[in-house]
Amino acid sequence: MKLGVNIDHIATLRNARNEGRPDLIEAVKLILHHDISAITMHLREDRRHIKDEDLINVKNLNAPINLEMAATKEIQQIALKILPHSVCIVPEKRQELTTEGGLDVSGQKEYLKEFIKPLKENGIIVSLFIDADKEQIEASRYIGADYIELHTGTFSSAFKKGDFASELEKLKQGTILAQKIGLKVNAGHGLDYENVSLMKQIPDLKELNIGHSIISKAIFTGLDVAVEEMIKLIK
Ligand code: PXP
């Protein structure tokens, strides 16, 4: 199981003043020597954190970018220009604080099947951010995704309340079903230093995408230590 470090919130802090601090590129350089699988960045439609030039600058470092994106033509064109290592298609609403809920794949199967074709043809690995729901998992397989990323937000909230067994079980069962039908499985959202070890109970998860808890810890420990400690917990 590998770590994908989501750097959106470094950009959030930078954008609070728009004076280039903290420098996203300096941050990526600090992270890249770790044994991570991805630098994860969400280019939102409203560009509230990551900007187009951030993607170009990170790509120029030869970093393995995992681009979180809505299934819109505009962002698809950018993905085809940047050619990230992978994309993770997420639902996106302008008013939300962060990605809320998984993508509805089964409700837009044919659209998504066509949408991901050029991405795959250009060698980009395609993942879909979904809830651990049978219908969504089967639809993900149908449209030809390589990976799914299971939404761990509900599990993470349940963990805070101390009653997470059934949410963890849903993630396990969803993973087993997905793997059985030929999908590889990642997970992410709301994972932190307290709950992340439980992900080891889920068989053969490939990647955990984690952002907010790492960047929050980095304020106190520095980014290098924050990333290193998370890697230790998931190994
Ligand atoms: N995975 C996906 C698809 C996301 O949208 C996000 C949030 O940007 C994350 C993982 C990371 O979530 P968090 O910042 O809560 O660790």
Side-chain angles (χ1 to χ4, degrees), residues 7 14 24-25 28 39 41 43 47 50-63 65 67 77-84:
I7 59 171
R14 175 197 62 190
L24 206 68
I25 294 309
V28 175
I39 298 291
M41 309 167 77
L43 186 69
R47 308 297 199 270
I50 298 297
K51 312 282 185 197
D52 299 53
E53 59 270 25
D54 293 327
L55 271 181
I56 297 166
N57 292 338
V58 173
K59 174 77 185 185
N60 286 341
L61 294 176
N62 279 328
I65 295 175
L67 175 63
Q77 289 313 306
I78 294 169
L80 289 170
K81 230 186 275 163
I82 299 285
L83 298 176

Side-chain angles (χ1 to χ4, degrees), residues 148-197:
I148 55 169
E149 179 171 323
L150 289 180
H151 194 316
T152 50
T154 311
F155 158 78
S156 300
S157 305
F159 182 86
K160 280 203 191 91
K161 295 182 195 135
D163 183 17
F164 57 84
S166 69
E167 290 304 327
L168 184 60
E169 188 57 27
K170 273 189 217 165
L171 293 170
K172 258 188 222 170
Q173 293 310 321
T175 300
I176 290 167
L177 169 64
Q179 289 163 345
K180 213 195 259 173
I181 61 175
L183 290 159
K184 296 189 188 97
V185 185
N186 298 334
H189 209 283
L191 296 175
D192 61 25
Y193 295 84
E194 280 72 46
N195 65 24
V196 77
S197 298

Side-chain angles (χ1 to χ4, degrees), residues 70-72 76 89-90 103-119 126 128 130 136 139-140 143-145:
T72 66
Q76 184 198 48
I89 301 180
V90 302
L103 185 70
D104 178 17
V105 184
S106 65
Q108 44 178 345
K109 272 196 287 211
E110 300 310 325
Y111 173 75
L112 287 173
K113 196 174 177 190
E114 284 309 304
F115 184 84
I116 68 172
K117 258 186 201 160
L119 298 167
V126 174
L128 307 173
I130 61 169
Q136 299 300 339
S140 301
I143 74 156

Side-chain angles (χ1 to χ4, degrees), residues 6 8-9 42 68 88 90 98-99 129 149 188-191 209-212:
N6 182 313
D8 294 351
H9 293 299
H42 187 172
E68 292 178 358
C88 181
V90 302
T98 180
T99 313
F129 186 51
E149 179 171 323
H189 209 283
L191 296 175
N209 281 299
I210 308 179
H212 194 260

